[in-house]
């Protein structure tokens, strides 16, 4: 993207420095992080020295296999810890000054902004929620004639189109209302739901009535499953929906549907100002130099967000190789303790700060401002698409409704267009992984692009979170599979990544790519010590053994550093506990199933594809979530393995505690570590025990799951007892 013309500064002091657009401050913890990493590395080396000694001196097969299992598990944990140090080598914090932007570039010279909002299922992603997201970005503090909003509906839903036709009419009133009253929250649903944020007036009341009317119409259409004749009031509307009457039109297989809902050259708001472009289906219709990608439920919470991004994009010192500016994913509606750890503080806040000190954060799938040029090859090599009109520097001067523009848009929006082209492999967003956001950002970094993590005090975007455990685990399983697809591809992070980006960035990406293999150590430490405890077999050092101090340092050091980072970045101890509990739960369920599904898929067996995470809110589930109660409710294999481990740990803790108190004996000291570890896991599994035995609501553990898990736990105990004895 070319640098916009600067303001003439001849009238000012020529020797004065240009206005400051952004600053960078290294973290004060960097030196401590590096010192701790050096000490902890020595401790890990000592641990493997002990494992090696124990292996070589093993006198029985049981001792040998137990030690080997612990060795492999600790090796994976050591790799996970070592790769995570990449984020701690040079964390930095940035601050931008959007108020200085007008001193650097004229408002008329600001770059165009294309906003892409993706949705796929009107029943899991309510159209009214998607509409609110679109309205929040259409109302940005940015020249409206430079904003184009594209809604990509992979599900081909007529309900979504209907919702946006209603939204286009409402926008003519909502956008000038936001500008006139300088509203911060420009998602109408959120604005009107927060009574303290506005003062009721006749104008506000009128806008609220218009919004409620639109909302009722959209929700009625989705609920009834049809668009009644009362809404087909014009030839334009009837023509738009006629495409759904074509024979063979399905969600999976349908012709390209493009509908220009608002055109900046024709449509005006109620004050006479131009409205932003609003189009169903994304294409090459405006080709703006800056692109914002958004999830359909991730609405804008700060109208100045584009200006904050431009503080980096327009910085001449960064322009040559800056690919994108990533904002953190933040959520509204989290309960006090965030029981499902949906905040993902490390993934979305802590680690990007560490990435930013290297070559920048990864693409998180939403809340990201791309330079269009960055999607077409490396900073030094422009890869041209097959069609000239798709080039990043192509300027579109024709109206959206021009026949040539619509013809090209229909052509490139077809699902078969990219076949035998460079799209998805060398240019554009990359295909080949269920974690397409991670893969796209990773490939861009390998090409030489850098990125910026913009983390303002006021959340730039806010999204919805799942309210039940199954949705959370299913989503994490999909991520785990997608990350493994990258880890074991020709572009593996540990080989290709390290070679292309350097050691620390390669390790940083590997930290996530091999996420799912954490199921091995997590499962090991949730089952092996417990089964050994049931058989009164000690596998850890005695308290009087000097090696006991090493184990304590490794455990407390890792957990202590993790807690410190979590709290420093605005977390609470209560949410940290939920976060580490979900780490265990993921390892026992979705990581295990994700790894298994990936291995099955690798040998050619077809598996489940992409499933949209539901954004629907059930009143009963919502109430339980607010109370901090886990939602199980429906039978799922993901719950079986988790429940099985919980049962084994509870049995082991009770039996081990009885033996410890009643029997005593010489082996008492050798079982303390196993007993403490089992007790900690039992504490983490309290929601499972409550769901099994103490609850009668619809979110309790299904009886089928409990029975299956109990039988499996019994079988595992019997087999382990035969082996360990």
């Amino acid at each position: 993207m070319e640098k916009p013309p600067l303001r003439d500064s001849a009238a000012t002091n020529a020797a004065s420095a240009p206005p400051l657009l952004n600053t960078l401050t290294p973290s004060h913890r960097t030196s401590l992080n590096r010192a701790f990493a050096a000490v902890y590395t020595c401790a890990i080396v000592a641990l493997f020295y002990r494992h090696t000694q124990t292996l070589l001196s093993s006198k029985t097969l049981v001792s040998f296999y137990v030690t080997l299992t612990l060795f492999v598990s600790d090796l994976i944990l050591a790799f996970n810890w070592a790769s995570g140090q990449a984020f701690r080598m040079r964390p930095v914090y940035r601050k931008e000054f959007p108020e200085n932007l007008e001193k650097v570039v004229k408002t008329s010279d600001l770059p165009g902004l294309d906003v892409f909002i993706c949705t796929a299922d009107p029943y899991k992603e309510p159209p009214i929620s998607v509409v609110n997201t679109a309205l929040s970005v259409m109302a940005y503090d940015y020249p409206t004639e430079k904003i184009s909003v594209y809604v990509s509906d992979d599900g081909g839903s007529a309900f979504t189109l209907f919702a946006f036709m209603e939204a286009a009419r409402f926008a003519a009133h909502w956008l000038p209302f936001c500008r006139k009253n300088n509203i911060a929250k420009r998602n109408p649903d959120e604005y009107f739901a927060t009574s303290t944020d506005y003062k009721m007036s006749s104008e506000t009341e009128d806008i609220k009535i218009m919004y409620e009317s639109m909302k009722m119409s959209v929700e009625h259409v989705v609920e009834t499953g049809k668009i009644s004749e009362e809404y087909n009031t014009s030839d334009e509307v009837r023509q738009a929906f006629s495409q759904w009457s074509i024979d063979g039109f399905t969600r999976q297989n349908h012709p390209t549907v493009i509908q220009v809902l608002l055109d900046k050259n024709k449509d005006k708001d109620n004050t006479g100002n131009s409205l932003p472009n609003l189009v169903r289906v994304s294409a090459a219709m405006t080709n703006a130099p800056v692109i914002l990608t958004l999830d359909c439920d991730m609405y804008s919470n700060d109208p100045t967000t584009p200006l904050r991004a431009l503080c980096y994009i327009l910085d001449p010192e960064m322009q040559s190789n800056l690919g994108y500016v990533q904002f953190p994913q933040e959520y509204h509606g989290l309960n006090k303790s965030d029981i499902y750890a949906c905040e993902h503080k490390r993934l979305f806040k802590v680690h990007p700060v560490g990435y930013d000190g290297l070559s920048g954060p990864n693409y998180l799938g939403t809340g990201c401002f791309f330079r269009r040029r960055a999607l077409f090859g490396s900073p030094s090599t422009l890869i041209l698409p097959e069609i000239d009109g798709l080039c990043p520097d192509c300027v579109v001067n024709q109206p959206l409704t021009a026949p040539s523009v619509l013809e090209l848009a229909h052509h490139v929006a077809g699902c078969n267009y990219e076949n035998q082209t460079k799209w998805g492999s060398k240019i554009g967003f990359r295909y080949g992984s269920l974690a397409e956001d991670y893969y796209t950002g990773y490939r861009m970094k390998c090409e030489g692009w850098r990125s910026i993590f913009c983390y303002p005090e006021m959340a730039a975007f806010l999204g919805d979170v799942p309210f039940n455990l199954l949705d959370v685990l299913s989503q994490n399983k999909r991520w785990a599979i997608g990350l493994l697809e990258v880890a074991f591809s020709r572009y593996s992070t540990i080989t290709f990544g390290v070679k292309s980006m350097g050691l620390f960035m390669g390790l940083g990406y590997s930290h996530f790519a091999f996420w799912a293999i954490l199921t091995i150590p997590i499962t090991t430490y949730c089952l092996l010590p417990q089964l050994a405890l049931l058989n009164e077999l000690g596998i850890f050092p005695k308290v009087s053994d000097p090696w006991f101090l090493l184990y304590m340092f490794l455990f407390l050091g890792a957990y202590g550093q993790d807690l410190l980072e979590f709290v420093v970045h605005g977390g609470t101890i209560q949410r940290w506990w939920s976060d580490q509990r979900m780490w265990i739960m993921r390892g026992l369920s979705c990581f295990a199933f994700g790894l298994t599904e990936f291995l099955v898929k690798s040998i050619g067996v077809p598996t489940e594809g992409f499933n949209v995470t539901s954004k629907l809110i059930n009143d009963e589930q919502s109430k339980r979530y607010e109370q901090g109660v886990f939602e199980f409710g429906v039978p799922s294999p993901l719950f079986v393995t988790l429940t099985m481990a919980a049962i084994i740990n509870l049995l082991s803790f009770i039996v081990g505690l009885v033996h410890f108190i009643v029997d005593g004996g010489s082996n008492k000291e050798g079982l303390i570590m196993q007993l403490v570890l089992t007790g900690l896991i039992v504490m983490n599994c309290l929601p499972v025990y409550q769901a099994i035995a103490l609850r009668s609501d619809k979110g309790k553990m299904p009886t089928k799951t409990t029975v299956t898990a109990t039988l499996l736990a019994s079988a595992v105990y019997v087999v382990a007892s035969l082996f360990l004895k």
Side-chain angles (χ1 to χ4, degrees), residues 221-239:
V221 163
V222 175
E223 185 179 346
T224 58
K226 64 178 182 179
I227 302 171
S228 58
E229 286 299 321
E230 64 181 291
Y231 299 117
N232 294 328
T233 56
S234 67
D235 292 338
E236 182 183 2
V237 173
R238 283 190 287 271
Q239 181 181 359

Side-chain angles (χ1 to χ4, degrees), residues 367-485:
C368 186
F369 288 81
F370 285 90
R371 288 179 59 209
R372 186 179 291 270
R373 166 65 182 85
L375 298 172
F376 293 83
S378 68
S380 59
T381 306
L382 172 65
I383 299 179
L384 296 175
E386 290 73 14
I387 299 175
D388 292 339
L390 301 179
C391 292
D393 57 353
C394 178
V395 178
V396 180
N397 292 318
Q398 295 178 292
L400 292 179
T401 52
S404 59
V405 174
L406 289 174
E407 182 182 359
L408 176 59
H410 276 87
H411 176 58
V412 301
C415 61
N416 295 321
Y417 162 70
E418 65 268 19
N419 293 345
Q420 309 302 318
T421 70
K422 301 169 187 174
W423 289 97
S425 58
K426 294 184 179 180
I427 58 178
F429 294 92
R430 309 305 162 85
Y431 308 154
S433 168
L434 283 174
E436 76 293 335
D437 49 357
Y438 171 90
Y439 187 44
T440 296
Y442 166 63
R443 289 285 302 278
M444 290 176 69
K445 290 297 178 61
C446 290
E447 291 170 355
W449 294 104
R450 72 153 294 127
S451 59
I452 295 294
F453 186 56
C454 187
Y455 188 3
E457 291 183 11
M458 182 177 181
F461 303 97
L462 287 173
D464 296 326
V465 293
F467 276 11
N468 69 78
L469 184 59
L470 183 58
D471 279 346
V472 173
L473 296 180
S474 298
Q475 183 185 59
N476 279 259
K477 187 187 81 167
R478 184 177 74 240
W479 291 350
I481 296 170
L483 292 170
L484 285 173
E485 288 171 338

Side-chain angles (χ1 to χ4, degrees), residues 82 197 372 385 391 552 558 652:
D197 278 6
R372 186 179 291 270
C391 292
M552 286 296 97
S652 174

Side-chain angles (χ1 to χ4, degrees), residues 280-343:
R280 185 214 180 275
V281 173
S282 58
M285 303 178 79
T286 47
N287 215 46
V290 179
I291 301 170
L292 167 62
T293 60
L294 279 180
D295 280 347
C296 64
D297 64 319
M298 189 68 66
Y299 68 84
S300 173
N301 188 59
D302 179 3
T304 67
T305 296
L307 303 179
R308 293 185 181 279
L310 291 181
C311 286
Y312 301 103
I313 294 174
L314 299 184
D315 188 336
E317 294 184 6
M318 299 181 180
Q319 244 179 7
S320 61
N321 66 344
L322 178 60
Y324 56 87
V325 177
Q326 177 68 62
F327 287 79
Q329 287 194 34
E330 301 189 63
Y331 302 94
H332 66 106
L334 291 170
N335 63 10
K336 184 177 180 180
S337 57
D338 186 19
I339 55 174
Y340 301 137
C342 289
E343 186 180 21

Side-chain angles (χ1 to χ4, degrees), residues 254-271:
H254 57 267
T256 302
V257 179
I258 292 180
Q259 188 74 27
V260 178
L261 301 164
L262 290 175
D263 186 340
K264 67 181 182 183
N265 295 312
K266 296 190 307 181
D267 296 298
K268 309 291 183 183
D269 62 29
N270 62 0
T271 63

Side-chain angles (χ1 to χ4, degrees), residues 151-172:
V151 181
S152 178
D153 179 14
D154 291 340
S157 170
F159 306 147
T160 301
L161 175 59
F162 171 78
F164 273 90
M165 295 179 80
E166 293 289 297
R169 288 191 285 269
F170 176 69

